[in-house]
Amino acid sequence: MSPAGRDGVQVWTTLDVNTVFTNYKIESHNNNEITVEVSAESLARVLRSAVGALEVMLRLGKRDREPLLSWSIAMTSQNGTRLDVVQELVVRILRASELALIVEPMCPTPDVYIVMPPLSEMHAMSELMRTLSSYVSLSANQQGTLKLSLSDQHVEGSACWFQLEHPQVHTQANDNHASNTSPDAFHEVHISMKAMQNVFSCASMAKSTVACICAGYCVVFYVYISGASQHRSIHQTNGPQQVRGVVNFKFKFHQPEAVSLLR
């Protein structure tokens, strides 16, 4: 979720334990739950080192009374022999009172929910925009249209997708809000390009992504990494709007010097 006017991204993830672990045992005085705080950078480093591993075993222990998350990674060496690597991460055990303070941030009822096209396609479009502006606008309406656009004093450009699906989300607040809004009306939020690139980095694992736009405030992305992909093949086209895909990607330069950005 990226609030308007800020560069930060907050991530909340829920994983089915059976999709991550084949065997596990957790014992604690807190309903057999243990919450740890770990550096995201350190965790990413360990996960990268485990790519292609035959087996990964995690153990939570202590060294000199300091909590450690130990990763035993079984790899295959270049000559085909088994290679065992151990990585250790310093973690902090959170108390129940501390965990209670960590809650998903509140946001207004979204103006529109829409199933996004494959993130890989949107990533390709954002790469074209990235050299032109530090910010991008994401907007959608209730007719299945999604726009990724940029606009500043030098250049304007947009990419559009049509005939996207809307998930069935029913809340009283949302139903009342939708009844007062034209289906053709676009709801827009401005996001830093850096934050958007962080979302698109999930492209390789995302099966389906839903964007929930709170106009002028934030956008919430639900990235589903399990289950069958819901996306049909999308092709870039300049044809009519009945074709589902990118139908417009143009740049209008306001100042001659902006042209040099494409060279």
Side-chain angles (χ1 to χ4, degrees):
M1 181 172 68
S2 180
R6 301 179 184 176
D7 294 339
V9 176
Q10 298 183 29
V11 180
W12 292 79
T13 304
T14 301
L15 298 174
D16 185 348
V17 66
N18 293 320
T19 65
V20 181
F21 300 103
T22 56
N23 187 20
Y24 68 94
K25 180 179 180 181
I26 300 177
E27 294 181 350
S28 76
H29 297 294
N30 183 31
N31 195 29
N32 289 334
E33 295 180 357
I34 303 175
T35 305
V36 300
E37 181 183 85
V38 60
S39 163
E41 182 179 353
S42 298
L43 179 61
R45 174 178 51 81
V46 173
L47 291 175
R48 285 194 297 267
S49 69
V51 173
L54 300 174
E55 182 184 65
V56 179
M57 181 178 294
L58 277 69
R59 292 187 181 91
L60 181 62
K62 289 185 178 182
R63 185 179 61 192
D64 297 331
R65 305 183 69 177
E66 186 177 52
L68 290 175
L69 191 60
S70 175
W71 300 62
S72 299
I73 306 171
M75 308 285 291
T76 301
S77 65
Q78 294 182 350
N79 58 10
T81 60
R82 180 185 174 102
L83 180 63
D84 293 318
V85 178
V86 176
Q87 299 263 23
E88 292 183 339
L89 291 181
V90 177
V91 299
R92 188 171 74 90
I93 307 299
L94 299 184
R95 297 187 297 271
S97 58
E98 294 178 294
L99 181 61
L101 300 176
I102 303 176
V103 295
E104 188 171 352
M106 299 294 292
C107 66
T109 300
D111 297 281
V112 60
Y113 300 81
I114 192 166
V115 179
M116 298 175 67
L119 296 185
S120 56
E121 285 202 12
M122 299 196 72
H123 187 210
M125 288 299 171
S126 69
E127 282 295 305
L128 297 176
M129 297 179 173
R130 184 171 58 87
T131 58
L132 300 171
S133 179
S134 298
Y135 286 86
V136 67
S137 297
L138 186 71
S139 60
N141 62 16
Q142 296 290 350
Q143 299 283 36
T145 302
L146 179 72
K147 291 183 180 180
L148 184 66
S149 57
L150 56 85
S151 179
D152 59 26
Q153 60 180 342
H154 298 299
V155 63
E156 292 180 356
S158 65
C160 303
W161 287 261
F162 298 92
Q163 295 188 359
L164 299 175
E165 299 176 4
H166 293 281
Q168 296 298 320
V169 179
H170 296 291
T171 64
Q172 183 176 0
N174 188 60
D175 292 341
N176 292 338
H177 180 79
S179 63
N180 298 323
T181 306
S182 170
D184 295 327
F186 279 90
H187 306 278
E188 183 180 63
V189 65
H190 298 276
I191 316 169
S192 74
M193 185 63 75
K194 181 179 179 181
M196 203 69 200
Q197 292 288 326
N198 288 336
V199 174
F200 293 148
S201 66
C202 301
S204 61
M205 65 180 73
K207 297 295 184 180
S208 183
T209 307
V210 175
C212 312
I213 298 177
C214 304
Y217 184 77
C218 72
V219 56
V220 180
F221 297 96
Y222 289 89
V223 181
Y224 299 92
I225 63 174
S226 61
S229 175
Q230 300 180 13
H231 300 307
R232 300 190 299 268
S233 177
I234 297 180
H235 303 282
Q236 187 168 339
T237 176
N238 289 320
Q241 294 188 8
Q242 284 73 20
V243 179
R244 179 174 180 259
V246 180
V247 297
N248 176 42
F249 189 61
K250 300 178 180 178
F251 287 115
K252 178 181 178 182
F253 297 103
H254 298 291
Q255 295 184 11
E257 56 268 26
V259 178
S260 62
L261 294 174
L262 291 180
R263 295 175 181 173

